[in-house]
Amino acid sequence: MALTTLKSLDAEIKQLEAQKKLVEKRDGEVPQAIAVLQKYSKVLTPVQRRQIAKIVGGIGGADLDSPARVAKPATSSAKGRSLGKVAPKYRLPTGETWTGRGLAPKVFVAWSKSAEGKAWGAANLGEKYPPASSAKSPVEVGRAVLKKARKVGAKAVKAPAKKVAKKIARKPVRKAKKG
């Protein structure tokens, strides 16, 4: 081998060893830098956190979002108050429950369109779904509703309408004051 080749290889080895020492030094500083970033990540915007996470990449399993995603109680953005779990407001005869918040679940919508749901609705005007607070079990409530709907039949629709008409007729009409 030529002398120049040995010298160039030796210089390249020294350069690589120097780079290795520099990388080892930086590797020792990376966990400290990540700890500092995690400590102050709460003051960073989500965009800044994503940018830093992109720069850091997967080095040492750095996850800047993990401190920010600590389990917090749900808060209402309008008033800043904590929202806890809500007891179910409605319970179907099949046992499914719903708190009454948000869109009605598909199960509830399907039940209200079924024969059983229509019969219950006819027997209980003014109510959307069976309440969850009933003392009877959901199965007993469902059976009672069906039994009542079979007995009453078409009369269930007419009778409440008459009651509502009587209530309206009894209420006095308020006259507007002339000012």
Side-chain angles (χ1 to χ4, degrees):
M1 251 187 158
L3 189 58
T4 55
T5 310
L6 285 175
K7 286 183 181 180
S8 64
L9 286 175
D10 192 38
E12 192 173 339
I13 290 172
K14 286 181 182 179
Q15 184 182 7
L16 289 172
E17 286 176 351
Q19 285 178 352
K20 182 182 174 186
K21 287 180 184 178
L22 184 63
V23 168
E24 286 174 352
K25 182 180 176 186
R26 287 184 182 167
D27 282 348
E29 295 172 355
V30 168
Q32 294 170 349
I34 290 173
V36 169
L37 288 172
Q38 284 178 338
K39 182 177 179 182
Y40 293 105
S41 68
K42 292 178 183 176
V43 296
L44 299 174
T45 66
V47 174
Q48 291 171 329
R49 279 189 241 136
R50 283 192 297 270
Q51 288 174 343
I52 292 172
K54 190 183 281 187
I55 292 169
V56 172
I59 300 175
D63 187 11
L64 291 176
D65 288 341
S66 59
R69 290 187 184 177
V70 174
K72 297 177 188 174
T75 57
S76 171
S77 60
K79 297 189 179 186
R81 59 190 168 99
S82 295
L83 300 176
K85 288 191 174 186
V86 179
K89 186 174 181 180
Y90 304 109
R91 182 183 313 272
L92 294 181
T94 56
E96 286 93 354
T97 59
W98 176 42
T99 61
R101 293 185 174 188
L103 293 174
K106 291 178 182 178
V107 175
F108 279 77
V109 174
W111 180 83
S112 66
K113 292 179 181 177
S114 71
E116 182 184 1
K118 287 178 182 176
W120 186 89
N124 299 286
L125 285 179
E127 294 184 38
K128 273 186 150 178
Y129 303 107
S133 60
S134 65
K136 296 180 181 178
S137 73
V139 176
E140 291 175 31
V141 171
R143 287 181 186 154
V145 167
L146 283 175
K147 191 173 182 181
K148 186 176 181 181
R150 286 185 195 130
K151 281 184 180 179
V152 176
K155 293 178 185 177
V157 177
K158 293 178 185 175
K162 287 180 182 178
K163 289 179 183 178
V164 170
K166 285 180 183 178
K167 283 183 181 178
I168 292 172
R170 277 189 247 155
K171 287 186 179 180
V173 177
R174 293 186 183 184
K175 294 182 180 178
K177 292 182 180 181
K178 293 181 181 178

